[in-house]
Amino acid sequence: MRILLLDTALLQKFLLKWGGYLLFLLTGCVTPYDFDVLGEATALVVDATLTNEEKAHTVKLTLAENLDSATFRTVSGASVAYLSSDQRIALREAVPGVYVTDSSFSGIPGNSYQLEIILENGQEYLSTTETLPIAVPIDSIYARYLVIPNDDNANDLNGVQIFLDAHGEGAEPLNFRYEYLESYAIDVPFPSQYYFQGFGNSFEVIKREAPLERCYRTARQSTTIIATTKSLSANRIAEQPIRFISESLPELAYAYRIGVRQYTITNKAFEFYKRLRENNEGSGSLSDRQLGRLTGNISGSPGAALDVLGYFEVAGVSEVRMSLNAEDFLKDGIQTPDWVCPIDSIRRPLGCPPFGTCTLDWEFPIRVRYEQEVVDIIRGDTVRTIESFFDFTSLDSLINLPCCRDNWRITNIPEDEDFAYFTHRFCSDCTTYGAFERPEVWEDIH
């Protein structure tokens, strides 16, 4: 057999982050949260939002134990319910600490609700009564290429800013909170179309149902974005900044999708999030800031032993999605590279090829000869392509050596030929960088 080798990012609502205090969000996102020192006491952490959407609404309960050691556990066995003027909507515990309604449930705009929590030991906690606002629709979402002066150094910040417009009827001022879920595609230059099955002399080469060409990295935002029409001449939000994407990052290289959710919230909820954001944007180092209580709207009945960290939010929700890529801003001078090494949540490379290119970094020990030159599609440079000739036992060694099998992929097997193309997984297997299944945010909202 002849083988040709071609190698070429809201909150559980509260993160306690001060000294050794940490609260890790159930949702996977984190937001700093300052609080009174509770010493050895424990606190009930509540994550609960009730909206007008028809879906399974959730309430998540965790218990903060001995905050000095950042120990937290889920709260099981509780009785959780939404209370309205005419009914009690009980939630069931789906998994430990997570309580859900039926998927057909929706809050009714204009109705008032309370959140009731009764722990296994009989301690009761109740929110204030909150009226669910009417959802204000999003008028438009759009993006512009901007050059932003950077005070930290001589280099300007070039990138794409996503904005949102919305307006409401009537004279009553409106308050909003925003969340977004973003996802971007990662394409590899030589997608793998085949895979190995078996070992030794009894292995098979099987064609994949779909080549591993495009994968997706998806993340929720971890900042508090709020807006209000108070003090404005009209009940209108214009050019609300949602997300800035630097052109040096990989998001726009191939395809980008963002889903923005606009929560129409109460005045009390807005003031709560405003104070939360102000606490998290204090100047100076963390060690210079003083602890202070951020009071929510949930409290315990007489005799209840736990402090409560959380806010029962009721909100009308509207959502919009949009797609972008670098080609949309070529006329503006965007300079997004064709390939940008994907990074993880703390901005470390995920494992890209040496120097960010797809070049051969391992050679077979027998009968290797250089035969032709090709244009490297990553850098646009001319590089050597290695064409290698092997017998069956050499392929056998490729299949069975862990260093080889784990890192090499079959990109193609030409019809009526007795050779196959092999490429390093960095250049041929997009699952190295993200998920192969396309996330739901890529679907349109109907």
Side-chain angles (χ1 to χ4, degrees), residues 4-298:
L4 181 66
L5 282 127
L6 177 61
D7 183 56
T8 41
L10 194 61
L11 85 147
Q12 178 187 337
K13 291 200 179 72
F14 309 102
L15 169 65
L16 310 179
K17 185 176 182 182
W18 188 278
Y21 305 150
L22 294 173
L23 171 58
F24 294 93
L25 301 187
L26 297 173
T27 59
C29 300
V30 294
T31 299
Y33 166 63
D34 299 320
F35 61 100
D36 277 348
V37 177
L38 302 178
E40 296 299 318
T42 60
L44 178 66
V45 184
V46 181
D47 179 3
T49 297
L50 172 60
T51 73
N52 60 306
E53 300 166 286
E54 185 176 306
K55 66 173 188 178
H57 289 70
T58 63
V59 173
K60 300 176 184 178
L61 303 180
T62 53
L63 188 65
E65 298 179 307
N66 188 3
L67 297 178
D68 289 329
S69 61
T71 302
F72 303 90
R73 63 178 174 85
T74 58
V75 178
S76 293
S79 171
V80 179
Y82 298 133
L83 307 181
S84 67
S85 59
D86 58 353
Q87 60 179 328
R88 181 180 188 275
I89 302 98
L91 286 72
R92 62 178 178 84
E93 188 170 11
V95 296
V98 179
Y99 301 81
V100 300
T101 67
D102 293 337
S103 59
S104 60
F105 177 75
S106 61
I108 301 174
N111 279 16
S112 295
Y113 298 91
Q114 287 180 284
L115 175 64
E116 177 191 71
I117 301 169
I118 305 175
L119 303 184
E120 256 188 329
N121 61 8
Q123 293 184 19
E124 298 185 17
Y125 299 85
L126 190 66
S127 75
T128 57
T129 300
E130 305 293 338
T131 301
L132 199 154
I134 297 174
V136 173
I138 297 170
D139 293 334
S140 62
I141 185 171
Y142 49 96
R144 294 181 189 147
Y145 181 74
L146 300 178
V147 178
I148 302 176
N150 187 357
D151 295 334
D152 295 334
N153 54 56
N155 298 321
D156 293 335
L157 297 177
N158 300 347
V160 172
Q161 177 69 62
I162 297 173
F163 297 97
L164 179 148
D165 292 349
H167 80 281
E169 305 297 335
E172 187 68 24
L174 297 170
N175 306 291
F176 302 107
R177 179 175 68 83
Y178 295 95
E179 291 180 352
Y180 65 80
L181 177 70
E182 63 179 351
S183 179
Y184 65 93
I186 304 166
D187 292 355
V188 291
F190 305 104
S192 171
Q193 300 186 58
Y194 296 83
Y195 65 94
F196 303 119
Q197 181 170 287
F199 291 88
N201 292 329
S202 40
F203 65 86
E204 294 181 272
V205 176
I206 301 174
K207 189 173 179 65
R208 300 182 187 275
E209 292 184 4
L212 301 181
E213 180 174 12
R214 169 166 287 191
C215 289
Y216 303 87
R217 287 184 60 77
T218 303
R220 295 187 183 275
Q221 108 284 6
S222 58
T223 57
T224 303
I225 305 173
I226 55 175
T228 183
T229 63
K230 293 176 182 177
S231 303
L232 299 180
S233 59
N235 243 355
R236 181 180 300 274
I237 296 294
E239 297 189 351
Q240 170 64 40
I242 298 296
R243 170 79 162 99
F244 179 79
I245 307 169
S246 171
E247 66 179 4
S248 65
L249 297 180
E251 278 86 335
L252 298 175
Y254 300 104
Y256 173 85
R257 183 79 162 173
I258 186 170
V260 180
R261 291 167 60 82
Q262 176 177 268
Y263 292 77
T264 306
I265 59 178
T266 65
N267 291 332
K268 289 189 295 183
F270 177 82
E271 290 302 319
F272 175 84
Y273 286 115
K274 180 182 177 182
R275 286 183 284 119
L276 174 63
R277 188 177 65 178
E278 290 171 349
N279 283 355
N280 297 334
E281 293 177 352
S283 60
S285 66
L286 285 177
S287 60
D288 293 333
R289 290 157 57 189
Q290 301 298 313
L291 297 177
R293 175 171 294 281
L294 185 61
T295 305
N297 63 348
I298 307 171

